[in-house]
């Protein structure tokens, strides 16, 4: 198990979102499902690579979580079982590796997901997480983003902004969505 130290922010508008992601060097498409116990199954698609993982997170205190993750073989994944689990679909942009800075753009293709929060409240989320370096996360982010930092809202100590909190019931055609990303 590893301990995560992270801060979470909402990007207030599309203009700032586009300026921030222009700093990214990697983009991936992510599908996440959550079972009734909060266990997350994730499919991450980077170019032609597909990575399936199973993940359990436990919040120790706001901004500090314990995490356990394991890789899955795609043959281990039961798509029929995932149909009944709450879901999030997002584009993820990687801006910095250490500390890790990512931006998630929450998606809702064909309005097939009933997110627990209005999409306008969760559309553009930014996270910064310690990796090997111990740093003041907020100070690092302020320096990294410069004036764009002013268009962020700190959500770190607010409830309801973890993906598992706002993941929604869905009627998405998983076979076609996943088939579509493979083409």
């Amino acid at each position: 198990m590893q301990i995560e130290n992270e801060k979470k922010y909402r990007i207030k508008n599309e203009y700032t979102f586009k300026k921030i992601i222009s700093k990214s060097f990697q983009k991936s498409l992510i599908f996440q499902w959550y079972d009734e116990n909060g266990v997350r199954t994730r499919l991450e698609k980077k170019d032609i690579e597909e990575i399936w993982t199973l993940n359990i997170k436990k919040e120790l205190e706001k901004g500090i979580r314990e995490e356990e993750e394991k890789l899955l073989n795609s043959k281990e994944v039961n798509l029929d079982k995932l149909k009944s689990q709450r879901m999030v679909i997002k584009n993820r942009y990687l801006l910095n590796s250490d500390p890790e800075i990512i931006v998630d753009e929450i998606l809702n293709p064909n309005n097939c997901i009933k997110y627990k929060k209005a999409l306008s409240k969760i559309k553009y989320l930014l996270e910064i997480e310690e990796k090997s370096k111990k740093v003041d996360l907020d100070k690092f982010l302020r320096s990294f983003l410069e004036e764009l930092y002013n268009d962020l809202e700190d959500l770190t100590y607010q409830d309801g902004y973890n993906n598992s909190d706002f993941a929604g019931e869905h009627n998405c055609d998983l076979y076609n969505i996943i088939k579509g990303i493979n083409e």
Side-chain angles (χ1 to χ4, degrees):
M1 287 219 184
Q2 99 183 39
I3 302 293
E4 286 185 337
N5 182 17
E6 69 179 20
K7 291 187 66 90
K8 185 179 295 264
Y9 301 82
R10 177 184 14 244
I11 301 171
K12 294 180 182 177
N13 58 64
E14 185 178 11
Y15 172 81
T16 302
F17 162 74
K18 287 182 176 180
K19 294 286 282 181
I20 290 173
I21 66 166
S22 71
K23 298 174 174 275
S24 70
F25 59 88
Q26 183 180 62
K27 178 182 175 185
S28 57
L29 177 62
I30 296 175
F31 298 83
Q32 291 180 172
W33 296 268
Y34 296 88
D35 72 10
E36 63 280 353
N37 299 314
V39 175
R40 181 190 79 199
T41 303
R42 174 191 275 175
L43 168 60
E44 184 169 6
K45 175 126 173 88
K46 297 178 190 175
D47 298 318
I48 60 168
E49 183 182 25
E50 288 184 7
I51 304 162
W52 284 93
T53 56
L54 192 67
N55 180 287
I56 301 169
K57 290 186 180 185
K58 178 181 169 188
E59 191 158 53
L60 303 175
E61 59 184 80
K62 287 292 179 196
I64 307 287
R65 296 190 294 188
E66 188 175 61
E67 177 180 26
E68 184 175 344
E69 185 170 88
K70 76 172 196 168
L71 287 174
L72 296 174
N73 182 311
S74 61
K75 292 172 181 53
E76 297 176 83
V77 178
N78 180 343
L79 287 178
D80 286 326
K81 185 177 174 186
L82 295 178
K83 286 181 182 180
S84 64
Q85 296 182 9
R86 295 176 306 111
M87 180 180 196
V88 172
I89 301 175
K90 59 191 176 181
N91 282 322
R92 172 163 283 177
Y93 303 88
L94 181 60
L95 283 71
N96 196 67
S97 297
D98 196 358
E100 183 179 70
I101 302 174
I102 57 103
V103 171
D104 284 340
E105 175 187 21
I106 307 301
L107 306 173
N108 195 357
N110 302 320
N111 291 313
C112 69
I113 303 172
K114 292 182 177 94
Y115 288 115
K116 292 183 179 180
K117 279 199 177 296
L119 192 57
S120 62
K121 298 279 186 197
I122 57 173
K123 181 76 174 168
Y124 307 122
L125 300 174
L126 181 147
E127 293 179 15
I128 181 168
E129 178 183 337
E130 282 183 347
K131 290 300 182 186
S132 65
K133 297 177 188 172
K134 298 288 184 205
V135 296
D136 179 320
L137 294 175
D138 195 64
K139 185 177 177 182
F140 185 93
L141 186 61
R142 185 180 300 271
S143 173
F144 184 84
L145 293 178
E146 298 170 331
E147 77 280 351
L148 295 172
Y149 179 87
N150 297 322
D151 283 336
L152 300 182
E153 176 186 355
D154 191 342
L155 302 174
T156 305
Y157 299 106
Q158 294 187 32
D159 290 330
Y161 288 95
N162 289 328
N163 286 230
S164 59
D165 296 330
F166 61 75
E169 303 296 324
H170 63 93
N171 61 1
C172 303
D173 183 340
L174 298 179
Y175 292 104
N176 282 334
I177 289 173
I178 293 171
K179 181 182 169 209
I181 66 170
N182 289 326
E183 295 175 346

